[in-house]
């Protein structure tokens, strides 16, 4: 069983168009409405591949009701935390070359009591799970230390925590000592405050996050695959994929990595396979077993240290 918490969930509408031109009328080629938020996407990917996952979400308003109905349709077990504010709506426009334009609402603030209820719901359901995944942005007004607080509260239980977030919440969570953090290239560069142009620089930045408290770092690099740095070593893996939509690919990567044990090159290969499969699907569709092509993944025996990843 995996437990995910998404502090700022969403209802995501993805619209496919032939070409996006500012100020023009567009005809949608396809529309997809799906439950969104990083933790929710991780749970969806796990369930699609036969794993048990429970998603803890704050959900208020009619949009919250819609979110729960959508999640139930995906057979994700849901722990709903009632809050006053509505669940946000996000719009993604995707062009045939996989160019993605996103319009994300900020989300409704959570009161101190609502934040405590959300943390309490995670603690109530964390006993005996394999991983807790704390993922996504934080709603307005929620302290940057929210995920760090969760990590500290889960420590006595002994369950490993994986964190996928951004902004000031990421370094705060790293300092709390999670078992894993999963930044993308931009998030990793932001947290170490310098550009990352080569695999060597990515690995060095991941090592810096480990020195600050994270036990392992899984860095997603878009078309360049992903890098894993932990106490046992450093690995780089990548896969070929026909890109259709990159939305949710990093969440699929994290889900695949955790489903395969959450450690070492074999888990990295599984994560990259799931992520590559997600890229080939519309909207934020999570891949199932029929979509994953493990044979397309290459785990390089030696890291190409000077390989450019900023192009």
């Amino acid at each position: 069983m995996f437990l995910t918490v998404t502090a700022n969930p969403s209802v995501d509408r993805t619209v496919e168009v032939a070409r996006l031109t500012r100020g023009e009328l567009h005809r949608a080629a396809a529309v997809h409405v799906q439950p969104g938020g990083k933790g929710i996407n991780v749970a969806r990917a796990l369930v699609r591949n036969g794993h048990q996952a429970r998603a803890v979400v704050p959900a208020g308003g009619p949009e919250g009701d819609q979110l729960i109905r959508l999640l139930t349709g995906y057979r994700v077990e849901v722990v709903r935390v009632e809050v006053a504010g509505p669940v946000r709506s996000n719009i993604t426009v995707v062009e045939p070359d996989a160019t993605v334009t996103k319009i994300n609402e900020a989300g409704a603030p959570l009161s101190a009591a609502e934040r405590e209820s959300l943390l309490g719901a995670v603690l109530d359901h964390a006993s005996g799970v394999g991983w807790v995944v704390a993922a996504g942005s934080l709603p307005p007004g929620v302290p940057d230390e929210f995920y760090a607080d969760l990590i500290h509260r889960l420590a006595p239980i002994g369950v490993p925590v994986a964190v996928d977030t951004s902004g000031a919440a990421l370094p705060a969570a790293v300092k709390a000592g999670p078992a894993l953090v999963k930044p993308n290239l931009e998030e990793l560069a932001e947290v170490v405050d310098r550009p990352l142009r080569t695999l060597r620089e990515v690995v060095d930045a991941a090592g810096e996050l480990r020195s600050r408290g994270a036990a392992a770092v899984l860095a997603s690099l878009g078309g360049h695959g992903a890098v894993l740095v932990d106490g046992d070593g450093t690995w780089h893996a990548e896969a070929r994929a026909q890109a259709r939509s990159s939305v949710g690919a990093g969440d699929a990567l994290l889900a695949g990595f955790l489903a395969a044990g959450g450690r070492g090159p074999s888990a990295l290969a599984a994560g990259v396979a799931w992520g590559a499969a997600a890229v080939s699907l519309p909207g934020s569709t999570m891949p199932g077993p029929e979509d994953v092509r493990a044979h397309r993944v290459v785990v390089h025996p030696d890291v190409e240290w000077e390989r450019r990843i900023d192009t």
Side-chain angles (χ1 to χ4, degrees):
M1 169 65 79
F2 297 86
L3 182 68
T4 73
V5 55
T6 307
N8 201 14
S10 61
V11 174
D12 290 351
R13 180 178 291 271
T14 301
V15 181
E16 297 184 30
V17 299
R19 181 180 180 184
L20 181 63
T21 305
R22 185 172 179 264
E24 296 293 329
L25 172 67
H26 299 80
R27 303 289 184 186
V31 177
H32 312 274
V33 180
Q34 295 161 315
K38 286 182 174 294
I40 285 173
N41 290 341
V42 169
R44 287 171 50 209
L46 289 166
V47 169
R48 275 215 68 191
N49 288 272
H51 300 273
Q52 288 184 297
R54 181 180 296 135
V56 180
V57 294
E63 297 87 353
D65 297 337
Q66 182 183 19
L67 174 68
I68 300 304
R69 288 195 301 270
L70 288 169
L71 280 170
T72 302
Y74 283 105
R75 303 188 308 280
V76 174
E77 184 178 339
V78 185
V79 178
R80 180 175 187 171
V81 177
E82 293 285 351
V83 296
V87 166
R88 63 186 176 138
S89 297
N90 294 337
I91 298 173
T92 300
V93 181
V94 180
E95 299 173 70
D97 64 355
T99 298
V100 173
T101 303
K102 301 192 70 174
I103 303 173
N104 287 358
E105 293 183 6
L110 297 179
S111 68
E114 290 169 342
R115 297 195 298 269
E116 192 61 34
S117 294
L118 184 57
L119 291 170
V122 177
L123 293 171
D124 288 344
H125 292 86
S127 181
V129 304
W131 283 85
V132 169
V133 179
S137 62
L138 296 176
V142 173
D144 296 332
E145 294 76 21
F146 180 83
Y147 289 138
D149 187 12
L150 177 61
I151 294 167
H152 289 309
R153 295 195 194 195
L154 287 169
I157 301 175
V159 59
V161 181
V163 177
D164 183 359
T165 190
S166 58
L170 178 55
V174 167
K175 188 176 179 180
L180 175 72
V181 292
K182 195 220 72 64
N184 62 29
L185 180 62
E186 293 76 17
E187 292 160 350
L188 184 59
E190 181 181 4
V191 78
V192 298
D193 194 26
R194 60 180 181 271
L196 304 175
R197 295 172 292 260
T198 66
L199 286 179
R200 183 184 302 278
E201 291 174 347
V202 168
V203 170
D204 288 345
E208 185 173 325
L209 265 59
R210 292 192 67 240
S211 70
R212 297 186 194 180
V217 177
L218 175 63
S220 56
L221 307 176
H224 295 280
V227 163
L228 173 65
V229 181
D230 63 19
D232 296 323
T234 298
W235 301 272
H236 171 228
E238 59 187 330
R240 302 186 312 276
Q242 182 65 45
R244 182 171 179 183
S245 172
S246 61
V247 180
D251 308 324
L253 166 70
L254 177 57
F257 179 78
L258 297 179
R263 184 171 184 173
S266 60
L268 173 63
V272 169
W274 286 33
V279 167
S280 68
L281 299 172
S284 59
T285 302
M286 292 294 103
E290 69 279 8
D291 304 306
V292 177
R293 303 287 186 267
H295 65 278
R296 295 181 178 176
V297 178
V298 176
V299 180
H300 297 286
D302 298 299
V303 177
E304 300 173 71
W305 297 107
E306 305 310 318
R307 175 172 168 176
R308 304 282 300 200
I309 44 82
D310 58 346
T311 57

